[in-house]
């Protein structure tokens, strides 16, 4: 359904997943390896290029998995040891979780990438401490990931976009150029800052000439009166003041037609 016919969903590349699997017994490990092998061969049988997460070090065993034409995402060396994967013939994409994973407002991994640190210290040939020669034919480049694991944390598509647009220039620069000593981070950062988004686009919803991107700043101490520099909130519907340990009194919008 997805790979054949005149209008397939997947045109030439198919990611089979295969990651974070139970390896508690020899049976599960060998079954996982066989399942991975079956999927890879199925994808190749349709003339597509298969991709997968690197997990065969984790799921060690005797069942062979043919690496011919397969690219693995090297995200955690404990699941797929990069040097072992390369020795087994896999191509790799460098995507180490500790450096290039974003999980917005989750408390684990990063909320944004540390792009200055990546510019100064990260290279796609260095996969979480395992370093390969520049131009190694099996290291195909680097990527970053944004995983929206947490439901209901207030992160919108525009918020995700804001995380992506700042990370993209640095990851692209490092994946394309490799090490450089002639351009400092500040010099580099001035270029994407000047370019911005596409002309007349503001997907990140940034506001010009507004300090800290803050339009209003209400202090709900005892009522719906605002700070003096803003208009007084004169009416409220379906909203109540509730206590918050960190913020004192806050306005809680109860849903439906709720406004101040």
């Amino acid at each position: 359904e997805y790979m054949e016919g005149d209008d397939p969903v997947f045109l030439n590349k198919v990611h089979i997943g295969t990651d974070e699997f139970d390896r508690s017994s020899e049976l599960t490990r060998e079954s996982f390896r066989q399942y991975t092998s079956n999927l890879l061969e199925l994808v190749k049988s349709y003339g597509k290029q298969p991709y997968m997460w690197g997990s065969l070090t984790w799921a060690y065993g005797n069942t062979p998995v043919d690496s011919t034409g397969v690219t693995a995402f090297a995200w955690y060396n404990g699941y797929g040891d990069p040097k072992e994967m390369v020795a087994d013939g896999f191509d790799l994409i460098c995507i180490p979780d500790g450096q290039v994973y974003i999980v917005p407002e989750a408390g684990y991994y990063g909320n944004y990438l540390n792009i200055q640190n990546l510019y100064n210290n990260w290279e796609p040939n260095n996969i979480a401490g395992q370093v390969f020669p520049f131009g190694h034919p099996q290291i195909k480049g680097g990527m970053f990931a944004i995983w929206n694991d947490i439901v209901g944390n207030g992160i919108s598509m525009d918020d995700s976009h804001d995380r992506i647009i700042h990370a993209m220039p640095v990851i692209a620069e490092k994946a394309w150029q490799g090490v450089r000593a002639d351009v400092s981070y500040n010099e580099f950062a001035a270029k994407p800052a000047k370019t911005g988004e596409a002309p007349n686009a503001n997907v990140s919803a940034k506001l010009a000439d507004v300090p800290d991107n803050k339009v209003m700043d209400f202090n709900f101490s005892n009522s719906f009166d605002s700070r003096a520099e803003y208009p007084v909130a004169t009416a409220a519907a379906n909203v109540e003041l509730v206590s918050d340990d960190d913020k004192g009194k806050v306005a809680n919008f109860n849903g439906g037609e709720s406004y101040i």
Side-chain angles (χ1 to χ4, degrees), residues 98-117:
Q99 292 175 292
V100 294
Y101 269 24
I102 302 172
V103 184
E105 301 295 347
Y108 53 89
Y109 292 121
N111 193 25
Y112 282 80
L113 294 188
N114 186 337
I115 55 178
Q116 182 170 356
N117 181 63

Side-chain angles (χ1 to χ4, degrees), residues 165-166 169 187-202:
I165 196 171
H166 298 299
E187 291 175 291
F188 168 79
K191 296 178 181 180
K194 182 178 180 180
T195 304
E197 299 187 22
N200 299 316
N202 185 17

